[in-house]
Structures are given as structure tokens and as C-alpha cells.
Amino acid sequence: MGFEFNGKTYETDDDGYLINLDDWNQDVANFIAQNEGIEMTEAHWEVVNFLRDYYAEYKIAPMIKILIKEMKKMFGPEKGSNAYLYQLYPAGPALQACKIAGLPKPTGCV
Amino acid sequence: MAKTPKPEELSKIDYKLPEKGWMDTPVEFKEGMYCHGARPQYLETVDFPNPRQWSSKKDEDWKLPENWKEIVLNGMKERLEKYRSFRLFMDICVRCGACADKCQFFLGTGDPKNMPVLRAELIRSVYKRYFTASGKMLGKLAGGRELTLDVLKEWWYYFYQCSECRRCSVFCPYGIDQAEITMIGREILNLLGLNTDWIAGPVANSYMRGNHLGLEPHTIKSNFDFMAEDIEEVTGIKVEPTFNRKGAEILFVAPSGDFFGDPGTYTCMGYLMLFHELGLDYTWSTYASEGGNFGSFTSMEMGKRLNYKIYAEAKRLGVKWILGGECGHMWRVVNQYMDTWNGPADFLEVPVSPITGTRFENAKSTKMVHIAEFTADLIKHGKLKLDPSRNDHLKVTFHDSCNTARGMGILDEPRYILKNVLNHFYEMPEETIREKTFCCGSGSGLNAAENMELRLRGGFPRANAVKYVHQKYGVNMLTNICAIDRAALPTLMNYWVPGVDVAGVHELVANALVMKGEKERTQDLRLEPLPEKVGAENV
Amino acid sequence: DGIDKDNLEVSQFLPEPGALVAGKWAMVVDVRKFKTEDDYKRVINACNSIHNIPDFGEPKDEIKWIWTDTFEHAFPDEYEQKYMPASLERMPFVLMCNHCDNPPCVRVCPTKATFKRADGIVMQDEHRCIGCRFCMAACPYGSRSFNWRDPRPFIKKENPDYPTRTKGVVEKCTFCVERLAEGLMPACVEASNGAMIFGDLTDPNSEVRKALSSNYTIRRKAELGTGPNIYYIIGGTDNA
Amino acid sequence: MLEKALTGSRRYWTWVLFLLAVIGVGFIFYLRQFSYGLGITGMSRDVSWGLYIGQFTFLVGVAASAVMLVIPYYLHNYKKFSKIVILGEFLAVSAVTMCMLFIFIDMGQPTRVLNVILHPTPNSIMFWDATVLSGYLLLNIVIGWTTLGAERKGFPPPAWVKTLTFISIPWAISIHTVTAFLYAGLPGREYWLSAIMAARFLASAFAAGPALLIILAMIVRKVSKFDPGKEAIQQVGKIVAYAMAANVFFLGLEVFTAFYSNIPGEKYAFDYLYFGLQGHGKLIPLMWISGILAVVSLALLIYPGTRRIEKILAVASVAVFVSLWIDKGFGLIIGGFIPDPFGKVTEYWPTVPEALIVLGVWAIGALVLTILYKVAISVREETADVPKVTELDGIAEAELATIK
Amino acid sequence: MGALFSFVVVILLILVAYVGVAAAGLQSIFGIVIPYVAVLTFIVGVVYRVIKWGRSPVPFPIATTGGQQKSLPWIKQAKLDNPSSTTGVIGRMVLEVLLFRSLFRNTKSELRDGKLGYGSAKWLWVAAIAFHWSFWIVLLRHIRLFATPVPSFVNVLENLDGFLQIGVPRLFLTGVILLLAVTYLLLRRFYVPQVRYISLASDYFPLFLIMAIASTGILMRYFFRVDIVGVKELTMGLVSFNPVIPAGVGTIFYIHVFLVSTLFIYFPFSKLMHMGGVFLSPTRNLANNSRMVRHANPWNYPVKVHTYDEYEEEFREKMINAGIPIESTVLPEEFEEEFKEKVEDAGTPVREEE
């Protein structure tokens, strides 16, 4: 599977997650977000950027509670909640935000 | 991803059978009922055959090798010679039908090929045709059929709609175990690279990184640090788990899902708090950081390759014995395969609880103790100070995981623990618990997202029983001793029985555990206020 | 072979040539003619020896086809007569099945093991009898006996021509159907030297009819509506 | 559901084993009877029915308890019987089972029992009795089992069960009527030849059956977590009171008719049973005990103040039960045979083997009842609104062991 | 379809025997040759199959655990459903083989208004028990025909079997029960939709065949009344390897024998082998003691594994960074100081260097 964007073909898995992490850039992220029905705002980017930073270090998306806690630390208590994240990413931060951030979907007993 | 119908629609299950016979009814791949095909890199990682980019949709080219039929038949032949179970189960089924409505996937889908007898017949028909005199001569009359691509795809579709839960086996007069047939069926499919992505990924992760989520050592450490912070917030006590520590008395192995996903992390916090309170000389391992054995969803050989790490690590670290966490298939593997595969573990000692002195005779060969046995023993000897009222806001029921129930028989230990750590315990109807328990619907590698409808349907009988106690007694917490349960049941509950949460047994143990030097608790492990404290504030 | 059970019953109504037949069998017992104890014994023994009646030597187990008892017991309801001849009071009466017109025993039998023939004889099929003893409760004459135990060891001398019975079945007097079929009178009648008259009630010229029309007779418990067919000529004291 | 009877506490198994032992003894003596013949009993040519048929007669009455619950519950929608009604139905099953067994052991040729079916004889009341009894057995098994099964599944019982329940009401009346007709239709048995025989049967049945049910309900409440309901038990007590009153009244009618008419045949049996006849009177003490218990229990039951006290209700129920057991189990049958058709008195008293066989059959009945009640109680405990705390029977027992 | 086919085959078998005996006079074929062939096939076939199963390895202890495991001494083990000893296994197998314990558990599920309920469903068990036991007793009764003098247990059996004295010769209850049970088993294949759906010709055929065997047996005992003396002469001839064909034994007897022979021949090639297989089922005949006693796999072979060293090689730096002890003594220089410090922080002893 995959998608075409700006004349380039991007390979994805069956659920639309980028296969090659290097393919990612902000434009691609915007494109994926659009398909998900999300208009990327500053708040959205905060999450995506955190995810990418975390991934760079740990090779996996963070646990949701780490995400929440870190968001709280970095951007204030009003942003450190599950509700806030769901407001940004209605299909769930783990699924939707990771997809936009170009990370692979965590697979397993989670 | 397929849209999942509403519960009201999904629960209208049509058990009407097709007019035509099952051999004449070709398999139909329904969206939401099957998983993606395995990605090539996962197969490559473990040197599995036929790695390629492919789609598991029925109509697409599955990119099989030219001689796929020969591979399948040879694979069958080899396994007929290696497993008495396989040959016997192929031979002696009388099709009495007792197993038919025992399978949660049949009950939830109404698809006749999910009746265990018919699921077995999918491969038995090929066995008859190619391996028995009657089938070779009489063909369909003797129940035989040609192995075609359609048949192969049917295998793939249905062998990945079976959670290997063994419920059918309990009711079968000859003990025919569909799980065994499914496992061998999957082995054969794997000879052609026909795995699911959800299984192949965790297998590759487990192989390379020691756990199925692919958590690297520092990630594990970081997650634990994070959990330790939460524990400190709740109790004021700092737990200090060690990793890969040589010379520890005990190696603790838990399902890695507990290091990562809620509500498993609360269970993991439970372990940490319990061990800290006991002052247990134990260590975690980042190398053997997975209890669950995703290889066993693939092939016996892969199971063995992954399982290897536990004993190897125990030996390397020089521990005396191994303690295992709350996990389902991990324990089926420990109970039925580990010693045979990778034993004898003569470098370990027969497990003795350092706290109570109890010698775990039942684990004297594997040297591996289930944490429910361990904790039940502690409670029995009065070694834990428990305040069950801290769980008073919970009305709890217990879900026996298929693996621990029917592949081991650990039934009363968790119940004994629960009885001691909480005040409101309610059993689900007896046809749905203990050895007759229903699977969560997502076991044996079915816990993916793309097959959500299958999982919800397969989980329907379990959810139904939960709903019964939920409505009757107000049950709001479904406990279990399995990481797949903790991953799968929240989804299932949200869908079928909103208002019921999911927890591992040791989360509730830790909630009730009165620790030395702890501060007055106002929160449970989920950082939610304890009920009586709220009440006290209101007064 | 080829005869099923229903036909077997019918066959009993098809007389052999030379058999004694009747519209309705009946018996008149002329009590006056029984003079000595021997007269009774002869009659009873004739029956007992032919029919393989066992002698248990204990009244509890007793099998009785034909026997004697006092007037008081034979006719318990008549006994209010306190001033009857003393001789009659002590006199033994020959008792047996009354082969009733309307037999309660047949009415109550749950298996048709006891049945009434067209010629009036009440029969007992010991092979069909389940031993429920309902007939014994129903019979107001005490004419039926039950084999409380295996009778065979208690038969003094077995008559090979007549079947023995097994434990657990009811049996009774049959008016010697087997002898009638051969043209013989019932054994007791034959042995009674004329004290017992046997014949066809429907035949106005029969011996029994003659005896009945020339003597006053009584029957046991006729008021119960059973229609007993044993008539007793009692007579006066001079008969003793 | 039967598997519920295969698991239970130590107390349950002790009880079951005890019953099995009694059954075993009874069976051994039955084998003896089977090979020797019914001569092993106290029965004779003159008293040709005895304790066996007496027990049968009494138990037909016990089987009635069900209908006394079914009528209020199903016809009058008396909800308080919702829990106890199954106990009545299963008691009926057990009682009818015993009835059939008593008939069976009373047979001279038990191996020919099927002759009753193979040669159906509608003119015999015995034939009808076999029919109504088997029918009643079937009805109660099916109704009870299906209701319970549905309850366990969490579904309402199928509609046809209600139809069967309605059929079971007249059917229950029929088993008593037909059983009474066994005796009441025989010429020359004056003691039995009474128009109110069936009515007496019904009255005593509706007293003895529910009385036993009260006792059983109290036991069930004591040994399990299943409570049939205090009010239900009280209500059954009221039923027993009325039925017992009718029963004593009917007995009075018989006594009046016999003695005021002064017909000897009508009086003899009463004479024998209560005062002795021709110098015989083995049953006199028993019959007077029965009579006294009847009067005392009636007094206790009629007065609401005493009836409402559960202990007194229990005592009165036992008294009713014993009184009627003597009356039906001994007096009625033996009285019918004494004096015999010759006006003679031949006395009857059960022999030891006979008594042990009777005990064996009662034990079978008790076993059937135990099993059925075990199933019912287990299902009820499982589906109860107040659940069992935990399913840790095994552990509880093991814990007990360690304490010891 | 499968049912019709099987029915026709059984009818044809009957016709073959009828024509063969009544028209062609092949008594010796149907009375001697075929029975010998059948018995031989049966014995050889069954032994072959059982040996084949018995020789195939049981690589893993896969007992289905149907109850509480042997665990702590104060937890009551389900000794039969989760046996940990040979005694327990024997108990489990005895109950399984003689009383069909697993089938006794059978339930029937029902979906009503979105709710699942589970009801007791014991009729299959009742019919199966009735069928197998009466079949077994019928077989044992037949010993009368193959032994002189007749063993006393056969007489006892016949007395019990004919306990209810119905008809002459006495009706054997097992014959009737067998026929009724097999009829029930057949009818449920017709009328229970799920069972009908899974039924194959090979499921109907034995039922029809056994039904025909029971029917012909009953017919010749109670209705056609074959010459029993002649039958015994023939059967005794067979067992004494001195076969004779007595005159005057009715054709129905040969039909019966032919059907039985067919069953014997069919047996080893069919699902009927479950009779032998049930004893060998590894989910039932193994103790669940695999944590106590090591179960050996005869074909165990070494597999490729990912060793700790390979693992550490990949993650060494990250481990060091995270303060996780490592095995290797050769540390990247830049980590030397930091590593020691971290390990000390974690309170873990530094690995003694060898």
C-alpha cells in the first residue's frame, strides 16, 4: 500500500502508516493529517514533535501516560490530559498522532 | 479499516446455516474479520520462508512459491509423523457436534466454519484426500477434498480466526483439541510465509529485542522510572527495580505489555510495589523481557527460539529460580513446552519462597513459579498487610484466561488473592468461567486493529457474561491474569459493557497492600482518588 | 406356531370333539351328602393331587383351590342367626371359586391375566400374572391364592400332566377345564360320590338345574351382585 | 444441570453415602425377596397387601404437595410461592418415584411389569393408576427441570411449560382419585367401600404433602443459602391446617356412618384398628398415636398464634406427617383386609426384611429428592440476587483441614 | 446426499447378501469366506492403526486441564480433571472411556435478545452411553455362539438383559436400546441443523449399517426365528477352523453376518477407530505434571537463537547510558567513567572482572 503526494510515492503499511521513517517531512504530515480530517495547528504540532523526539531516542512511541505527563511538564497542566489529546486527535493520540508523525503503529498487547 | 457495526446489530447473530454443504461454500473474506499479511522484514528477521510484500485480501496474489502445494503436503506429512495429536485428531473425530457451540467465534459470528469440528475438517478433508486410502479412493464421499488455492486461503482465514483457547477440547469426548490443529495448521501456513503482520511483528521484536513490543533496554528502564514516579506519588515510597542484575535470587519475567500499555502498567506497578515491600532479591531482564511467547502462535520451533531467552538469561545472571508474571500464553508455554524445549534447567534450584519458605514442589522441574501461586502463598502465611477496603469502590469479577485455565489449571490461586484484597467479588455464570471460560476473543495473535469485528464477535460470549454480573451486581471491574486480556478486554468492555474497567490481579493487590512507611494513600494506582477519602472530605 | 396370544385365548372356546360344553357352568354342593370327614378329604385330595397343589404346612403361605370352613366363616353375614342347629354350626362347608357371573377379580386385573370364559369359567393365566394381588383384594370369597414362595418343593407327588406354578403368581380353582376338555367331570365332582353336582345352568334338563329346582339353595354373599355359581343345599338337622 | 449433583460439600456426600448404604441394605434384602418370593414379608393369604402398598398409598398423597403450590402460584399469581414451588414439584417427583418402586417391589413377578403396558386393561383401576402416576411423574420432571433450566440460562421458561402446569393441576387430583378408586371399588371390603374415600385421600394428601414440604423447606434453608421464604412456609402451613381439618372431619364422617348405622361389616375394621377384634389388636397403639397426633397437630395449626411460631409449625408438621403416615401407611390398607372375607382376623405385622426393603425405597426417594434439591439449590444460589461470596469450596475445606 | 448414498449402500449390501445366498446359493462365501476375511481385516487393521498411533511421538505434554492444577498444598486440586499423577490419569481415562465424562458436560447455547444462555444438554450423552454399552453387551452375548460350553457370565448377562420377560424368546433389552439409540443418533444428524451441516457420508454409513445389523438381528431372533442350532453349528465351525454350512439356516442370518462382516472390514479404515483412539488422546491421557517432571521430545533439535551477546552487542551503549549492567569488559572509552558511576548509582555491584 501507499499514497502519492507531490509526485512521489510513499509506501505505507495496510493501515496507512509510513513504512520508511525517512520519508517524513512536514508536508507529508500535513497531507496525512488532511486525510485523517485534521487541520494541523500549533497544538497538533506540539504533540507530533514530541512523539518524533521521543521516537528518536526510544525507537517506539511513548506510553500514553508518558505523553500526557511530558506534555504537562512542557506545555502546562491544561495540555496534560487524555481529554485534551483526544480533542486534538479524535481517533486517539496513539493511532492518529503517530500516523501523522510518521511513526509505526505500536503492535502488541497494548 | 472496516467500520464496526453497533453492538445492537452485532449481537443479532444469525446461526442459520447455508443450504449448500460447506465444501461447496467457498470462503468469503469479510472485512474486519482478518489480519494484514506479515511484512517481509519481520519474516526475514527470523529467517522465515517466502518473505515478500503481499496483501492478505483473498482476491489478491499471495505470491506463493510455485511448489506451494508440495510444501504444504510435505509439511503435513512431516507433522503427521511428528505429532501423535495431529494424526489422531485427524483420524478419530466422529463429528458428534458437541464442540460446535462451545467456540466463542462460532457463537459470535454464526459462521459454521468456526465450529471447531468444521475448522478441523478444513484440514482433515485434505488429510483424507492425500493421506488415507479411503479418501484417495472415494474422495468427497470419504470426506476428502483437493488442496486448492481457495482451500489454502480458507485455512489462513479460519486458522487466524481461532484463538487456540481449547474450550472445544474440554467438551470433546476424545479430547480433540482444535488449538493443536490450529497450531499445526499455522505452522504449515508459515512454511509459505503466510503469517499475520500482528504476529510476525511481535515475533521479530521478541527475537531481536527480547520483547514483543520492541522496547529497547533503555526504553524499558525509562518506562520503569516513570512507573516508579507514579508509585512514589501514590505511596511516598521509591521503588528501585534492577535490571540484568547478576547474583539476584530470582529472575522475574512478565509480559512486556505490562511495561507499556494501560492497564497493564498498573499491574506492573503492582509487581514492583509487592516486591519492594517484601524486599525481594530479584531482577528484571531486558534481554528476557517478554513472558509471552508469540512464537507459539507461529510454530513450535519459533516458540522454542523465543523461549530460549528465559533459561539462558536465568543461567547468565546466576539466579536460583524464576518468577513469572500475569500472562496467558506465557504460562501455557511454561507449563507445556518450556522444559521440553529448553530444559532441563538443572542450573536452577527448586523454587523456595524466601518469605514463607514454601517450596514450590509443583514447579520443581521448570523452576518457574506463577506470581499468583507466589502471592497466594504469601497471603496464606499472613505475610502481607492488606486493606481490602481500599478496593471498596470496585465490584470485581474474574476472567479466567484460556491458557492459564485450560493449558495449566491456575483457577483458585487468583481467586484466593482477590478474596483477600477486596470485599466485593462476584463470579460470572459458571459456564463461562474456570475450565469453561470464554476467551477474550483476541488471543493467539488476533489482537490486531484491522480485525476488530472478529475480536468483538469472538469476545461477545465473554462480554455477555460480564454484562450479566454488571447488570445484576453492578460489577465494574473485570480482573484477569493475562496481558492480552488487559489489552483486549478494555476495547471489548467499551463496546459491549461500558462502565466496566479492566485490571490485573496485582494492581488490586498493590492497591490493598499496606506498605511499610507509606504515606496515607489518597489515590489508587491509576492516580484516581480513593473513594473513602472522597467521602471523608465531603463530611 | 403361527398362533398369537389373542388367538390362544380364542382357541380355548373351540371345544375338542368329546369335550364337555355348556352355556354356563355351575355347581350345586349338597352339603347333606357329606357325612364323614373322609368325604371332604376325598374331594379335596382329588383336586390337590391332580393340580399339584403344594402343602406348605403353614396357613400364611397356603394355596387353596377347594377347602372347607365352617358355616360361620362361609356365610359370615348369615351368622347373626344364633339359634341354628348346632350340627350345622360345626359342619364344614366345601368352598371354592364361585366362578361369578360378574367377577370383581376379572374387573380389577391390570393385565387380563384373569378372565372369564364364555362358558362362565373364571380362568387365571399364570404366565401373564404379574402378582399384584389386586384380584385377591377384590375377591369377596377369599378364593384366590398367591404363591408367596416357590411351590414346587412342597408338592407331595407331582402330576406330570398338569403344570406346576411359579412363585409370585395368583392361582385358583378352574372347574377343571382340562378335564372338561377331555369329557371328564371336575375332579372334585367325580370324587364326591354325587354330593357335588356339576352342569350347565342354561340347560333346563341339566343335573344342576334339576337340583336347584327341587331344593332350596343358598349362595355365598349373593348380595354383593357378583352372581356366584356355587349353590349350597343345606337342608335341616336330619341331614347331619 | 445434573452435574450439580456430582459436586458438593463433605456433608452432602456423607448424606448421599448414608442413603446409598441404606439403599444397599434394602437392595440386598430385595434380592432375597426376589429369589424367595413375597413370603419373606408379613403378608399372607388373608392380608395380601401390607406395608408396601400402604407406603405407596401414603406417598401418592405426598406427591400432592406440588399442586397445593402450583394452584396459588400459577392460577392465582401468588408470587410468594415463586421460590418454593420447585421444591413441591421435585418432592412430587421423588414421591411418585417411590410410589412406583413400592408397586414394583410388591409384585410377585416384577419382571413382567411391562405386561401392564403390553396388555392394557382399561377396566382395571390399576391400569389407570399406572397411567396417571407415570403421567404425573413426567409432568413434574419436565415442568421442574425446564423451569430450572430456563432460570439457569437466565431466560423465562418456554410458554408450553405453563400449559403443562395447568394440566398438572387436575392431573394431581386424578392421582388421588384413581388411587382411592383402587380400594373404593371392591365389593366385600366394607372399610374401603366408601363414597368419600377419594375425598379423604385428597384431604390427607393436601395435609401430609405440604407438611413434609414445610419440613423440607426448613431443612433447605438451614443447609443452603437458598431461602424459600418465611411467608411462603407460613402460607403452606395454613394449607396444611385446612387440609388436616378436612381430613379429621372426613374421618369423623366415616366413624359416624359406621357406628350409628351399626352395620357390623361397617364397624369391624374400626373395631379392629382402634379397639381390637376377636382378641386381636396389634395396630391399636399406632392408630391411637395417629389419632392423637392428628388432633394435637390440628389444634396447633388451626390457631394462628401457634402456627406462626416456626418451631411449633415444624413440630405440628411432623405430627401431621406421622399421623397420616400411620393412617395411610398402616391403618387404611390393613384395615381393609381385617376381618377377611370369612369374618376371621388374621393379623399382619411387617417382617424385618420387609421393613428394611421399605427403608431402602424411602432412601431411594430421599436420594432422588436430595439430587433434585441439590440441583435446584445450586441453580438458585447461582442465579440469586445475593451471590455466593466466592467459589472456593475447595479452599474452605482445605483450610478446615489445616485448622484440625 | 451423504445420507442417501449411505442408505443406498446399506440396502445394496443387504441385496447382495440376499441374492448371493437366496438366489446364487453362495452360503459358503457369505457364511465362511467373508467372515474370515472380515475378522482378519479387522484385527490386522485395528492393530496396524493403533500401532501407528502408538508409535507416533507425543512431543509435548498437552493435557487439557479441566480444573484446578496441583499447586500449593492447601489448594484443592481437581485430581481427575487436572491429574498430576498416573492414578489421576487412569481415573480420568476410566471415566472418559466408560462414562463419556467430557460429553456429560455438554451444554446447549441459546441467543435470545442479545443474551447468551447455556442450558444443560445431556441427550447426546444419554444416547451415546446407551448405544455403546448396549452394543458392547450385545457383542458379549454373541459369545454364546462361539463357545461350548457357554461361559457362565454370558448366561448371567442374558438373564439380566432379558430381565423383563417379554415374549418368547425373551426380549433382550439391549437389542432394543441399541436400535433406539442408533435411531436417535441418526435422527439428530437429520434434524439438528449444525450436526446435519457437518455430517458426511462416512457419518451416516456406520449408523445405517449398525441399524441394519441390529434390525436383522432382531428380525431373525424374534420374527423369522432362524434355526439357532444350525447357526451355532456354523459359528462353532468358524471358531474351530472347521467351517461347515448347515442346511436350513435362513437367508436373514447370512444378511446379518454379511453386514457385520462389512462393519468389521470398514472399521479400521473409518472414524469408528475412535474406539482405539480415545485411549491414546494426548490431551486426556497425560498428566499435567510438566512443571514437576520434564517431558522429553524424541525429535527435539537445536534451533537458531538470538543470544544475549548478540543482544548486548546491539544495545550496549544504550544499556550503559541507562545504567543497565553489561557483560562485556571492553567498554567504549567514552563510557568508561560514566558507566561506573551509573552502576554505582543504581546500587548494583559492578561485575567482577575475571
Side-chain angles (χ1 to χ4, degrees), chain B residues 482-510:
Chain B
C482 169
I484 293 186
D485 283 333
R486 289 190 283 280
L489 289 173
T491 316
L492 198 66
M493 291 301 109
N494 270 340
Y495 182 80
W496 289 114
V497 205
V500 176
D501 234 323
V502 177
V505 166
H506 278 78
E507 177 185 343
L508 303 191
V509 169

Side-chain angles (χ1 to χ4, degrees), chain C:
Chain C
D1 281 351
I3 296 170
D4 64 30
K5 288 187 198 84
D6 291 336
N7 286 335
L8 203 67
E9 284 167 23
V10 171
S11 75
Q12 293 174 335
F13 296 92
L14 300 171
E16 298 283 318
L20 295 178
V21 292
K24 178 159 102 177
W25 291 115
M27 190 181 279
V28 176
V29 179
D30 191 343
V31 177
R32 297 168 305 186
K33 292 190 177 156
F34 285 93
K35 305 273 190 211
T36 62
E37 195 160 321
D38 217 39
D39 292 340
Y40 300 106
K41 277 195 175 156
R42 199 174 55 248
V43 167
I44 292 168
N45 282 344
C47 175
N48 284 359
S49 57
I50 287 180
H51 296 122
N52 290 328
I53 309 285
D55 180 11
F56 293 103
E58 196 194 328
K60 184 171 167 295
D61 295 334
E62 220 170 8
I63 304 283
K64 296 195 284 195
W65 286 30
I66 179 166
W67 71 101
T68 60
D69 208 332
T70 58
F71 180 84
E72 172 195 357
H73 291 140
F75 300 92
D77 299 327
E78 313 284 330
Y79 188 56
E80 285 302 301
Q81 222 275 50
K82 286 177 184 164
Y83 310 109
M84 67 193 304
S87 56
L88 195 63
E89 204 180 341
R90 286 192 302 273
M91 177 181 290
F93 278 68
V94 179
L95 305 179
M96 69 192 96
C97 172
N98 278 291
H99 295 276
C100 304
D101 290 346
N102 182 16
C105 57
V106 169
R107 192 159 63 223
V108 300
C109 178
T111 62
K112 301 193 187 86
T114 182
F115 54 95
K116 190 167 173 63
R117 299 188 354 158
D119 60 3
I121 297 177
V122 174
M123 288 295 295
Q124 175 75 11
D125 179 350
E126 284 103 6
H127 294 285
R128 183 179 287 189
C129 174
I130 59 173
C132 73
R133 311 189 297 295
F134 201 4
C135 53
M136 294 176 76
C139 175
Y141 304 106
S143 300
R144 295 180 151 260
S145 302
F146 181 72
N147 287 281
W148 296 99
R149 52 193 297 198
D150 185 5
R152 282 160 193 148
F154 299 93
I155 300 166
K156 277 192 185 122
K157 187 167 178 293
E158 194 176 316
N159 169 19
D161 298 332
Y162 199 82
T164 58
R165 273 77 62 194
T166 173
K167 66 171 183 283
V169 295
V170 171
E171 58 181 79
K172 60 179 277 297
C173 157
T174 65
F175 268 169
C176 288
V177 280
E178 79 285 358
R179 289 173 61 87
L180 298 179
E182 290 168 11
L184 298 170
M185 275 286 162
C188 54
V189 174
E190 200 180 76
S192 71
N193 293 335
M196 296 164 86
I197 306 159
F198 186 70
D200 185 357
L201 263 194
T202 58
D203 175 4
N205 299 318
S206 65
E207 287 285 309
V208 280
R209 282 290 289 273
K210 281 181 201 160
L212 289 179
S213 58
S214 56
N215 291 286
Y216 173 71
T217 55
I218 60 170
R219 290 179 294 166
R220 294 174 66 202
K221 299 189 184 176
E223 77 280 4
L224 295 178
T226 52
N229 282 307
I230 310 285
Y231 295 78
Y232 293 90
I233 302 172
I234 296 181
T237 47
D238 53 321
N239 293 321

Side-chain angles (χ1 to χ4, degrees), chain B residues 204-427:
Chain B
N205 277 336
S206 299
Y207 191 68
M208 294 305 292
R209 302 183 188 174
N211 62 77
H212 83 277
L213 289 163
L215 304 173
E216 296 182 355
H218 62 299
T219 317
I220 295 176
K221 179 77 171 31
S222 134
N223 282 2
F224 272 75
D225 289 345
F226 186 82
M227 288 190 269
E229 273 178 40
D230 275 4
I231 291 172
E232 194 170 1
E233 186 180 336
V234 172
T235 64
I237 292 171
K238 192 165 165 50
V239 299
E240 288 169 336
T242 60
F243 297 87
N244 303 5
R245 176 166 64 91
K246 289 202 170 186
E249 183 181 0
I250 299 163
L251 168 66
F252 184 62
V253 180
S256 67
D258 286 353
F259 314 161
F260 190 79
D262 296 341
T265 49
Y266 306 121
T267 309
C268 192
M269 287 157 71
Y271 307 143
L272 291 170
M273 288 162 69
L274 176 70
F275 298 156
H276 177 91
E277 177 63 15
L278 296 172
L280 205 65
D281 178 16
Y282 83 109
T283 182
W284 299 79
S285 164
T286 59
Y287 168 66
S289 51
E290 180 62 86
N293 190 311
F294 293 72
S296 66
F297 302 156
T298 301
S299 70
M300 282 289 117
E301 183 181 306
M302 197 62 233
K304 181 176 173 180
R305 290 170 68 188
L306 298 186
N307 176 259
Y308 158 82
K309 290 189 170 113
I310 296 179
Y311 276 153
E313 185 70 342
K315 194 171 184 179
R316 184 181 75 86
L317 298 177
V319 300
K320 287 184 180 161
W321 55 280
I322 310 165
L323 187 61
E326 296 182 15
C327 181
H329 56 135
M330 159 180 175
W331 278 99
R332 177 150 185 219
V333 165
V334 170
N335 189 47
Q336 300 190 333
Y337 303 115
M338 178 153 93
D339 207 5
T340 303
W341 278 340
N342 294 310
D346 40 19
F347 46 87
L348 297 174
E349 294 173 11
V350 175
V352 173
S353 168
I355 317 297
T356 65
T358 300
R359 199 177 136 95
F360 292 92
E361 290 290 342
N362 64 332
K364 67 183 174 202
S365 181
T366 50
K367 320 285 200 297
M368 184 151 176
V369 174
H370 193 289
I371 189 162
E373 295 168 338
F374 179 75
T375 306
D377 175 61
L378 292 172
I379 295 174
K380 178 76 183 173
H381 285 85
K383 299 292 181 188
L384 299 182
K385 196 172 172 205
L386 298 164
D387 176 6
S389 70
R390 287 187 193 156
N391 286 317
D392 270 356
H393 56 308
L394 303 177
K395 295 199 167 177
V396 178
T397 189
F398 180 72
H399 159 76
D400 291 278
S401 310
C402 20
N403 282 305
T404 49
R406 288 182 287 262
M408 183 178 188
I410 183 161
L411 307 172
D412 281 331
E413 295 89 338
R415 285 176 170 79
Y416 178 79
I417 297 171
L418 287 172
K419 198 179 80 169
N420 280 287
V421 301
L422 48 88
N423 291 320
H424 308 294
F425 182 75
Y426 306 88
E427 287 283 12

Side-chain angles (χ1 to χ4, degrees), chain B residues 469-487:
Chain B
V469 283
H470 175 63
Q471 289 176 344
K472 195 155 192 170
Y473 312 123
V475 161
N476 56 12
M477 183 58 86
L478 176 60
T479 54
N480 55 70
I481 47 168
C482 169
I484 293 186
D485 283 333
R486 289 190 283 280

Side-chain angles (χ1 to χ4, degrees), chain D residues 117-164:
Chain D
I117 297 160
L118 294 174
H119 310 287
T121 314
N123 53 273
S124 172
I125 300 295
M126 186 87 77
F127 167 78
W128 289 108
D129 214 36
T131 310
V132 292
L133 280 174
S134 351
Y136 194 62
L137 181 67
L138 215 62
L139 277 171
N140 277 291
I141 286 185
V142 170
I143 293 170
W145 204 255
T146 315
T147 318
L148 207 60
E151 203 172 294
R152 180 150 171 262
K153 278 195 259 184
F155 297 145
W160 53 264
V161 171
K162 194 146 195 188
T163 315
L164 284 191

Side-chain angles (χ1 to χ4, degrees), chain B residues 6-133:
Chain B
K6 294 229 172 319
E8 303 79 58
E9 281 166 55
L10 214 62
S11 64
K12 285 187 196 119
I13 298 150
D14 184 9
Y15 294 116
K16 238 182 99 208
L17 299 160
E19 283 298 311
K20 265 193 181 168
W22 64 267
M23 279 197 201
D24 304 319
T25 311
V27 56
E28 183 196 342
F29 276 43
K30 290 186 182 138
E31 281 303 309
M33 300 294 281
Y34 62 101
C35 295
H36 300 318
R39 258 174 269 191
Q41 64 263 36
Y42 293 152
L43 301 187
E44 280 157 8
T45 304
V46 291
D47 307 314
F48 262 42
N50 201 23
R52 76 249 174 256
Q53 194 69 45
W54 65 294
S55 161
S56 59
K57 287 191 192 321
K58 190 194 170 194
D59 301 329
E60 305 218 3
D61 179 8
W62 282 15
K63 299 178 187 165
L64 300 175
E66 278 292 297
N67 61 338
W68 67 267
K69 208 165 160 175
E70 195 190 324
I71 294 173
V72 168
L73 292 176
N74 284 340
M76 276 182 81
K77 183 164 185 288
E78 186 192 340
R79 279 153 191 83
L80 285 167
E81 279 154 17
K82 276 162 76 173
Y83 295 92
R84 180 192 295 170
S85 53
F86 187 36
R87 183 178 286 280
L88 196 77
F89 295 164
M90 288 295 101
D91 281 335
I92 63 172
C93 175
V94 298
R95 285 166 294 277
C96 71
C99 59
D101 62 351
K102 307 303 179 285
C103 174
Q104 54 267 340
F105 291 100
F106 175 68
L107 288 174
T109 62
D111 182 342
K113 285 174 187 166
N114 271 327
M115 295 192 270
V117 47
L118 216 47
R119 202 196 310 273
E121 211 64 33
L122 299 178
I123 192 164
R124 186 176 289 122
S125 54
V126 173
Y127 164 76
K128 288 234 177 92
R129 165 66 186 78
Y130 294 93
F131 297 95
T132 68

